[in-house]
Amino acid sequence: MVRKIGILTSGGDAPGMNAAIRSVTRVALSNGIEVYGIRDGYRGLLEGNFEPLTRKDVSDILDQGGTKLGSARLPEFKEKEIQERCVRQLQDAGIDALVVIGGDGSYRGALALTKLGINCIGLPGTIDNDIPGTDFTIGFDTALNTCVECVDKLRDTSSSHHRCSIVEVMGNRCGDLALYTAISCGAEMVISPETGYDELEVLERLRYLGEACKKNHAIVIISEKVTDVDDLAKKVSLQTGFSGRATVLGHIQRGGSPTSKDRMLASQMGEKAVDLLMEGIGGQCVGIIDNHIASMPIEEALQRPRSSRKRLYRLFDRLV
Ligand code: ADP
Ligand code: F6P
């Protein structure tokens, strides 16, 4: 029977992580289970940096961005000896199970701990929406809304000045943030790891939009790490009828109060994590699949291919 659980947030933070911490804490407490918050991801686990959480400790955090527990990256957590030291820290504190909120790297850590005897459940927390085993991650919707708000503003000024705005969004090699932003904002182009990048084609398309289609502005949404956007903007100015301007949205996408969608998702996923631990289940991750909260073994999730979003890319093409 599970009596004490720990909770930690790991990897890049995401809006809604606090809502998940609150949900796990309150659902567990209402089932008579004690909850310990672990500071700064696996680093706090290694250092034994634990604090008991009460209902009151998680008051007023539902609407807060970031993570109350702090997050960190600990590359050496991949080593078995470090994992074993973490297990000893948990055992010394009497913590018998763990909820890990993070990305696929954090899931791998959770799986390793489960194999060493501590049942862990992974919750998908990242703005990138790049975690297999779920249609949506905690934080994606908030980041998307931030992107949409920013691009709507850029559109105002781009259209006044006959400019092409090249907007770089995050995603860590996953194009979902770019694609969903592009559709939501009516962008002229989307460039992502899924579309691939051909600079000549991009410039040709922009020339066509300006000259043949007589567009007075253009918005290009591009995923980070695809190309240097400042360089692309200069080429746009030189080789198309538009004056190019690059905007990197950067870490602003990681902050802010979570949307109601992310709060709901986090609250439901937190509840599911506690239910699984109470059933004595570990090594699983929680997701939302076809609008239902579900869970599956982490090993299975990590092997699943991510959707290539073919239908949404086709929709984008039909809308421009
Ligand atoms: P994310 O969880 O968002 O994918 P990272 O890839 O940075 O973020 O992983 C977060 C942390 O998870 C890492 O700093 C490390 O402590 C742990 N981690 C990553 N990969 C592994 C792995 N293969 N095995 C065990 N732990 C891992
Ligand atoms: O995984 C979230 C994310 O914001 C990615 O979109 C981005 O590539 C990366 O983290 C940035 O990491 P850092 O916080 O180290 O700048």
Side-chain angles (χ1 to χ4, degrees):
M1 208 178 98
V2 63
R3 287 202 175 83
K4 241 190 221 185
I5 64 170
I7 177 163
L8 61 82
T9 47
S10 167
D13 66 346
M17 281 184 163
N18 279 325
I21 294 167
R22 173 180 177 271
S23 170
V24 168
T25 303
R26 293 208 166 161
V27 173
L29 289 174
S30 65
N31 281 288
I33 299 168
E34 279 182 69
V35 182
Y36 277 72
I38 297 165
R39 302 234 29 117
D40 300 329
Y42 292 124
R43 184 175 302 285
L45 189 54
L46 185 61
E47 292 166 0
N49 199 348
F50 311 151
E51 52 182 314
L53 293 177
T54 63
R55 292 186 76 80
K56 195 157 185 317
D57 288 330
V58 293
S59 289
D60 298 328
I61 64 166
L62 181 60
D63 60 337
Q64 303 286 308
T67 157
K68 173 190 161 70
L69 294 174
S71 191
R73 295 191 170 103
L74 181 71
E76 56 270 38
F77 189 70
K78 289 176 191 160
E79 296 160 31
K80 192 152 186 221
E81 189 249 319
I82 300 288
Q83 294 163 1
E84 284 168 346
R85 272 169 57 192
C86 289
V87 168
R88 281 197 293 279
Q89 288 282 19
L90 289 166
Q91 286 166 342
D92 290 349
I95 297 173
D96 29 40
L98 202 60
V99 178
V100 172
I101 310 171
D104 56 345
S106 305
Y107 276 16
R108 286 177 216 280
L111 184 59
L113 291 175
T114 303
K115 286 182 176 166
L116 290 172
I118 302 285
N119 272 349
C120 293
I121 298 295
L123 297 189
T126 168
I127 65 163
D128 299 330
N129 212 37
D130 62 345
I131 307 183
T134 186
D135 293 341
F136 294 103
T137 57
I138 297 166
F140 174 70
D141 186 64
T142 307
L144 171 61
N145 278 281
T146 301
C147 292
V148 168
E149 194 186 330
C150 292
V151 174
D152 284 349
K153 287 179 180 172
L154 286 168
R155 173 180 292 278
D156 293 344
T157 170
S158 303
S159 55
S160 305
H161 288 272
H162 191 69
R163 277 180 180 155
C164 167
S165 261
I166 318 266
V167 189
E168 182 188 287
V169 300
M170 282 185 167
N172 192 26
R173 305 191 194 288
C174 168
D176 282 12
L177 209 41
L179 174 63
Y180 281 67
T181 301
I183 293 175
S184 303
C185 296
E188 276 65 36
M189 289 187 79
V190 57
I191 305 168
S192 70
E194 291 81 13
T195 63
Y197 178 62
D198 180 332
E199 190 174 277
L200 292 179
E201 231 174 64
V202 171
L203 295 170
E204 176 61 39
R205 173 90 184 135
L206 288 171
R207 263 194 302 274
Y208 171 78
L209 289 172
E211 288 163 14
C213 305
K214 307 270 179 257
K215 288 251 180 198
N216 78 332
H217 71 277
I219 304 276
V220 178
I221 309 293
I222 181 164
S223 296
E224 62 177 351
K225 299 172 189 170
V226 169
T227 192
D228 181 327
V229 288
D230 287 314
D231 186 51
L232 176 60
K234 279 184 201 137
K235 287 180 178 151
V236 167
S237 295
L238 290 172
Q239 298 180 39
T240 74
F242 293 109
S243 161
R245 291 287 188 281
T247 305
V248 177
L249 295 187
H251 288 81
I252 201 162
Q253 296 161 92
R254 289 245 296 262
S257 181
T259 57
S260 58
K261 199 168 169 186
D262 273 331
R263 296 181 200 190
M264 283 296 295
L265 192 61
S267 301
Q268 290 174 285
M269 287 181 167
E271 177 190 43
K272 180 75 178 175
V274 176
D275 285 346
L276 289 167
L277 291 177
M278 284 196 307
E279 285 171 45
I281 293 171
Q284 296 221 353
C285 54
V286 178
I288 184 159
I289 298 172
D290 296 334
N291 241 350
H292 292 287
I293 299 294
S295 64
M296 68 177 74
I298 290 175
E299 263 162 339
E300 187 189 320
L302 291 177
Q303 277 166 16
R304 284 196 170 196
R306 273 199 54 256
S307 159
S308 59
R309 304 284 185 225
K310 269 199 183 124
R311 283 184 168 204
L312 286 179
Y313 279 104
R314 195 181 62 165
L315 169 64
F316 177 82
D317 287 342
R318 287 172 154 180
L319 293 173
V320 285

